[in-house]
Amino acid sequence: MAVFRSGLLVLTTPLASLAPRLAPILTSAARLVNHTLYVHLQPGMSLGGPAQPQSSLVQATFEVLDFITHLYAGADVHRHLDVRVLLTNIGAKSAFLPPLPSSVQNLAHPPEVVLTDFQTLDGSQYNPVKQQLERYATSCYSCCPQLASVLLYPDYGPGELSVESLDVPLPSTIRPASPVARSPKQPVRGYHRGAVGGTFDRLHNAHKVLLSVACILAQEQLVVGVADKDLLKSKLLPELLQPYTERVEHLSEFLVDIKPSLTFDITPLLDPYGPAGSNPSLEFLVVSEETYRGGMAVNRFRLENGLEELALYQIQVLKDPNHTDNEEDKVSSSTFRQRMLGKLLRPPYKRPELPTQLYVIGLTGISGSGKSSVAQRLKGLGAFVIDSDHLGHRAYAPGGPAYQPVVEAFGADILHKDGIINRKVLGSRVFGNKKQLKILTDIVWPIIAKLAREEMNQAVAEGKHVCVIDAALLLEAGWQNMVHEVWTVVIPETEAIRRIVERDGLSEAAAQSRLQSQMSGQQLVDQSHVVLSTLWEPHVTQCQVGAQERAGL
């Protein structure tokens, strides 16, 4: 069976009958398409007649919004698919509703195959129906020249659902601001301009529901606030957030694909109110269950500044049935970032100059991150661990390779009475003095690197296959040139400070100063192959270190 990178799924069954069959339809489509699946809703359309079917307007009702939500929720089990419900032919109730476009709509990923749930009488791949389907698809959207077509029925099931199941309405997922009870067939009101906001990290199906509702409500312009800078500090694992420009790029492509007739104003969200709090032309704001209070705060802020309140539309969160104990029970970017922990994020370095029998991991992290506990875990799994701190002590010890050069550079007054280098006195000389610090590191770092290479040879002699260099200054010292992978352990700075204060007896200010003298977690992650975190219980970190199977431990 051929598999296509992009596809267009044309759904022709009335929504009430389609909803119970949606899961097997999506499963069938997921077998044929492995990247982008566009969905076009045209309930009631027939592909079996002699006349070429035309795209017609679908009235946006709450049933339609609930179905779109249901579709994205159902698609979440197919994580490889980027599902996009096209909204060009879906219109809200409005006096200024634009006409359907007469030209073909360009898509970011032109479909290579068009699929449909339309049922032929005998369930066969009936050529005239397939030809109608292909002509319909190419009359609406830009498709690949050699467009294939597939009739999914009866692959998704012969319709053995009970009559009762077809009459059950979808659960209500959209709550308008008005306290008036909404009904499934109630038309959704259209507005000139509105807003929606979020982090939009690794654009997922819950984001797509939020954005789709906002796009249906807006008829002219949609303002999209994208959280940045200070608003990201409280996020879980902020080091793994996509850069702002990357998030905006993915967001913009999705929005233009689903409703190109809208004008999109994508702007950084730098405070809790954003443009929704100050733009007098906006009429509505789409929020989730979790951000509804924030929407209420925006309206209070607007009233205080002489602006009219926004109509609030609240979207229920999508539940994630596959979440684990330490993950949120909803579809969220935080969970996606958690699932990146312990995974290989970029290809390993090729190090032909290292011993061929040895795979070397450089383990680093900010002070207090818990990398030493990770090193011990790896040691327990059979890795040969090189502790750079121990190598430093050997280098500084009397007779050690760094002893005489350091004393000559900084003077005999850095010595204890017994001739041992006083590391505290030496540290006070170089702390905050870049020139003096460089003199010291130019002496010590190459020596420690040489000692580490000697330890690697020892690992080979002991028959070890994996070696871990535990080094807080791995990247600052440039030691990544002698490892295959860089592994970084991250935790929030507040937690690192708490641990340093508890472990070393320092003041919070001193702990903060120590962290500021190091590379930040973000800088470390940007150069890492694997990211771990000790923020949770030890067994969670051990699961992350499960990447040792890939590394051959």
Side-chain angles (χ1 to χ4, degrees):
M1 182 184 293
V3 176
F4 304 88
R5 181 169 173 79
S6 59
L8 172 66
L9 173 61
V10 178
L11 296 175
T12 64
T13 306
L15 299 188
S17 302
L18 179 59
R21 297 189 176 100
L22 190 56
I25 289 173
L26 289 173
T27 298
S28 297
R31 294 193 192 106
L32 296 167
V33 179
N34 63 11
H35 188 268
T36 306
L37 179 66
Y38 293 105
V39 179
H40 173 84
L41 298 180
Q42 198 67 79
M45 183 177 74
S46 173
L47 294 168
Q52 174 63 38
Q54 302 294 318
S55 180
S56 59
L57 180 69
V58 176
Q59 175 70 62
T61 62
F62 283 101
E63 178 187 40
V64 171
L65 297 189
D66 289 337
F67 179 82
I68 290 172
T69 303
H70 180 62
L71 190 151
Y72 277 122
D76 208 57
V77 298
H78 306 291
R79 290 285 167 83
H80 68 286
L81 274 186
D82 177 5
V83 176
R84 305 181 182 189
V85 181
L86 300 169
L87 307 176
T88 303
N89 67 322
I90 299 175
K93 183 179 180 181
S94 171
F96 44 90
L97 189 67
L100 284 176
S102 56
S103 59
V104 173
Q105 178 183 332
N106 290 320
L107 297 174
H109 308 278
E112 300 170 2
V113 63
V114 57
L115 320 166
T116 186
D117 63 334
F118 183 78
Q119 299 181 14
T120 55
L121 292 176
D122 59 358
S124 64
Q125 295 290 316
Y126 190 50
N127 279 335
V129 171
K130 294 178 68 176
Q131 290 168 4
Q132 290 275 48
L133 177 63
E134 291 168 19
R135 284 197 292 267
Y136 178 76
T138 54
S139 71
C140 297
Y141 305 105
S142 61
C143 299
C144 287
Q146 302 300 319
L147 181 67
S149 57
V150 177
L151 308 182
L152 295 179
Y153 181 82
D155 190 43
Y156 63 82
E160 67 281 354
L161 296 162
S162 66
V163 174
E164 291 79 7
S165 69
L166 301 181
D167 293 331
V168 177
L170 287 169
S172 171
T173 57
I174 318 294
R175 182 183 300 173
S178 170
V180 178
R182 45 146 281 188
S183 64
K185 301 298 183 183
Q186 180 182 334
V188 174
R189 177 187 168 184
Y191 301 83
H192 288 279
R193 300 171 193 87
V196 65
T199 307
F200 301 116
D201 179 47
R202 290 172 176 80
L203 197 67
H204 54 64
N205 287 333
H207 291 144
K208 292 176 182 179
V209 171
L210 204 71
L211 293 165
S212 296
V213 172
C215 283
I216 288 175
L217 296 174
Q219 306 305 304
E220 295 180 7
Q221 182 188 39
L222 182 64
V223 177
V224 185
V226 180
D228 197 23
K229 297 184 179 177
D230 286 351
L231 291 188
L232 302 179
K233 290 182 178 178
S234 62
K235 298 295 181 183
L236 181 68
L237 301 170
E239 301 90 350
L240 290 173
L241 280 163
Q242 292 174 316
Y244 174 82
T245 52
E246 190 174 337
R247 286 181 282 136
V248 168
E249 181 183 349
H250 294 161
L251 184 62
S252 179
E253 181 187 289
F254 173 78
L255 291 170
V256 171
D257 254 356
I258 67 170
K259 195 169 180 181
S261 61
L262 279 182
T263 298
F264 297 106
D265 180 10
I266 302 177
T267 184
L269 197 58
L270 303 176
D271 63 74
Y273 303 116
S278 57
N279 189 332
S281 69
L282 299 179
E283 300 167 277
F284 73 86
L285 177 64
V286 177
V287 296
S288 69
E289 287 178 83
E290 295 178 328
T291 59
Y292 183 73
R293 285 187 176 183
M296 297 287 285
V298 165
N299 271 340
R300 286 194 298 271
F301 185 77
R302 287 177 68 91
L303 290 174
E304 290 167 3
N305 289 275
L307 299 177
E308 290 187 8
E309 285 187 303
L310 301 175
L312 296 182
Y313 285 80
Q314 179 183 335
I315 314 298
Q316 286 187 4
V317 299
L318 296 190
K319 295 297 183 181
D320 181 359
N322 300 315
H323 73 95
T324 60
D325 290 342
N326 64 302
E327 295 174 345
E328 295 179 303
D329 64 352
K330 62 170 186 171
V331 176
S332 76
S333 301
S334 298
T335 297
F336 289 174
R337 293 194 296 276
Q338 279 182 257
R339 291 172 182 171
M340 292 171 67
L341 297 173
K343 304 291 177 60
L344 189 65
L345 304 180
R346 52 179 57 87
Y349 296 130
K350 294 179 180 179
R351 300 295 188 210
E353 70 278 11
L354 294 180
T356 55
Q357 312 95 312
L358 202 61
Y359 196 84
V360 185
I361 295 167
L363 180 64
T364 190
I366 63 172
S367 183
S369 63
K371 65 179 180 58
S372 296
S373 64
V374 173
Q376 288 306 305
R377 169 67 176 164
L378 291 168
K379 184 177 182 179
L381 291 166
F384 186 95
V385 175
I386 300 172
D387 187 329
S388 65
D389 283 344
H390 291 169
L391 297 185
H393 285 296
R394 278 173 53 190
Y396 281 113
Y403 182 85
Q404 197 58 39
V406 169
V407 172
E408 289 176 0
F410 293 94
D413 56 344
I414 65 167
L415 300 176
H416 285 291
K417 291 181 180 179
D418 58 4
I420 294 174
I421 292 176
N422 187 327
R423 298 278 291 271
K424 286 187 177 181
V425 172
L426 179 59
S428 67
R429 291 274 185 91
V430 301
F431 186 78
N433 188 322
K434 290 184 178 180
K435 183 178 179 180
Q436 292 293 303
L437 180 61
K438 187 175 187 310
I439 292 172
L440 179 62
T441 56
D442 283 351
I443 295 170
V444 176
W445 284 350
I447 290 172
I448 294 178
K450 183 174 182 294
L451 293 175
R453 289 182 183 275
E454 292 173 1
E455 290 289 301
M456 288 184 207
N457 293 332
Q458 179 61 35
V460 172
E462 293 182 14
K464 298 290 186 177
H465 299 291
V466 176
C467 175
V468 177
I469 301 176
D470 177 0
L473 299 176
L474 183 88
L475 297 178
E476 289 94 329
W479 296 336
Q480 67 268 35
N481 63 7
M482 57 181 184
V483 304
H484 294 95
E485 295 179 22
V486 174
W487 289 19
T488 292
V489 186
V490 298
I491 55 168
E493 187 175 290
T494 51
E495 174 64 12
I497 290 172
R498 187 194 67 78
R499 292 182 184 182
I500 294 169
V501 168
E502 185 179 289
R503 181 190 67 194
D504 300 339
L506 298 180
S507 65
E508 287 192 8
Q512 177 80 44
S513 179
R514 178 185 292 183
L515 291 176
Q516 289 176 345
S517 69
Q518 302 174 355
M519 291 178 72
S520 67
Q522 184 66 65
Q523 290 171 312
L524 297 176
V525 167
D526 288 345
Q527 301 181 61
S528 297
H529 299 80
V530 173
V531 178
L532 308 165
S533 180
T534 59
L535 191 56
W536 297 276
E537 296 297 319
H539 75 275
V540 177
T541 305
Q542 290 175 13
C543 289
Q544 298 167 21
V545 180
Q548 76 274 359
E549 294 180 8
R550 172 186 47 73
L553 291 176

